[in-house]
Amino acid sequence: MRLLGEALAGRHAIVEVQLGRKQLDPGAAPADLGHTLADAVGPLFRLMERDPAQWQDVRGSVPVPRGGHAGPETPAGGDIRPDRMVRAFHLGLKDLLPVWEQILLDETLAQLYPLGLLGADEFRFPPPLWARVAADFAVAHHERRLPRDHLLRALTPLYLGRVAGFVLETQGGSPSRVAEALERVCLAFEAEKAALSARWR
């Protein structure tokens, strides 16, 4: 994420290249998700702060050129358990609410509360809500409302909720259905951009 952010901030040419399926060492200890998420999102937030002129007035998006060739069909992923992700979101809503209240707008929290009542089968985390959560965290990080590492780790249950929502929305669907779901996420972030820019000071 850091390399991509620096490339975008430097207005370098961006090309999407097929790299194939990432191979993981099955014997390696699992990475701590909170740490991994902080390492991915933290540099992005810092770049937003360092170079606001590079992003504040940008609207819309353009397709990125693609290079390389898609490899053969990759095998199905491992055992994905959205019910565990939903449970982690519910626990976060219970245990981290005092922290989230310092980060998220009241309007954002009002949309999150009902998700705490949904079971895994009916759980959804709409893209516009996820875009608003990300914007709220970016502003709170910029305004230093909490120690930054603490703030970034508080995003983890929300991220898991969003991933669970995405999995439940697309499971059993075709690749085109997944692509359409990803496009809805992109459009939601584009729609949130003007409000985020207005809040940045």
Side-chain angles (χ1 to χ4, degrees), residues 19-54:
L19 297 178
R21 185 180 177 87
K22 183 177 181 179
Q23 299 298 317
L24 300 175
D25 180 358
D32 174 73
L33 179 59
H35 181 75
T36 301
L37 195 59
D39 279 352
V41 179
L44 177 62
F45 286 172
R46 288 193 294 274
L47 277 172
M48 290 174 65
E49 191 166 48
R50 189 188 76 189
D51 299 311
Q54 297 285 356

Side-chain angles (χ1 to χ4, degrees), residues 33-94:
L33 179 59
H35 181 75
T36 301
L37 195 59
D39 279 352
V41 179
L44 177 62
F45 286 172
R46 288 193 294 274
L47 277 172
M48 290 174 65
E49 191 166 48
R50 189 188 76 189
D51 299 311
Q54 297 285 356
W55 63 268
Q56 281 190 305
D57 296 327
V58 177
R59 298 291 181 267
S61 60
V62 295
V64 175
R66 295 187 177 188
H69 301 284
E73 187 70 21
T74 56
D79 181 26
I80 299 175
R81 297 288 304 274
D83 58 317
R84 292 181 180 174
M85 300 178 200
V86 171
R87 193 177 313 123
F89 169 80
H90 288 164
L91 286 173
L93 188 58
K94 175 185 174 185

Side-chain angles (χ1 to χ4, degrees), residues 16-17 32 43 46 51 69 74 100 115 130 164 169 174 183:
E16 180 182 348
V17 179
D32 174 73
R46 288 193 294 274
D51 299 311
H69 301 284
T74 56
W100 290 354
L115 304 188
W130 176 237
E169 178 186 359
S174 64
E183 180 65 13

Side-chain angles (χ1 to χ4, degrees), residues 51-198:
D51 299 311
Q54 297 285 356
W55 63 268
Q56 281 190 305
D57 296 327
V58 177
R59 298 291 181 267
S61 60
V62 295
V64 175
R66 295 187 177 188
H69 301 284
E73 187 70 21
T74 56
D79 181 26
I80 299 175
R81 297 288 304 274
D83 58 317
R84 292 181 180 174
M85 300 178 200
V86 171
R87 193 177 313 123
F89 169 80
H90 288 164
L91 286 173
L93 188 58
K94 175 185 174 185
D95 297 338
L96 291 176
L97 185 57
V99 177
W100 290 354
E101 287 174 337
Q102 299 178 65
I103 299 169
L104 302 169
L105 292 175
D106 290 343
E107 296 86 348
T108 311
L109 285 167
Q111 294 179 64
L112 288 171
Y113 292 141
L115 304 188
L117 304 175
L118 299 178
D121 292 340
E122 56 186 350
F123 188 85
R124 293 294 182 271
F125 199 125
L129 177 55
W130 176 237
R132 172 55 65 88
V133 165
D136 287 357
F137 266 79
V139 171
H141 184 274
H142 175 56
E143 295 178 350
R144 299 177 182 269
R145 294 184 201 164
L146 292 168
R148 287 183 162 179
D149 184 64
H150 189 43
L151 180 145
L152 291 169
R153 285 178 171 271
L155 182 60
T156 305
L158 292 156
Y159 170 78
L160 287 169
R162 172 56 200 158
V163 173
F166 184 82
V167 170
L168 291 165
E169 178 186 359
T170 58
Q171 63 184 354
S174 64
S176 62
R177 181 177 171 184
V178 174
E180 290 167 1
L182 288 171
E183 180 65 13
R184 286 193 291 274
V185 176
C186 295
L187 292 174
F189 273 83
E190 288 183 20
E192 184 64 32
K193 183 75 172 295
L196 172 60
S197 296

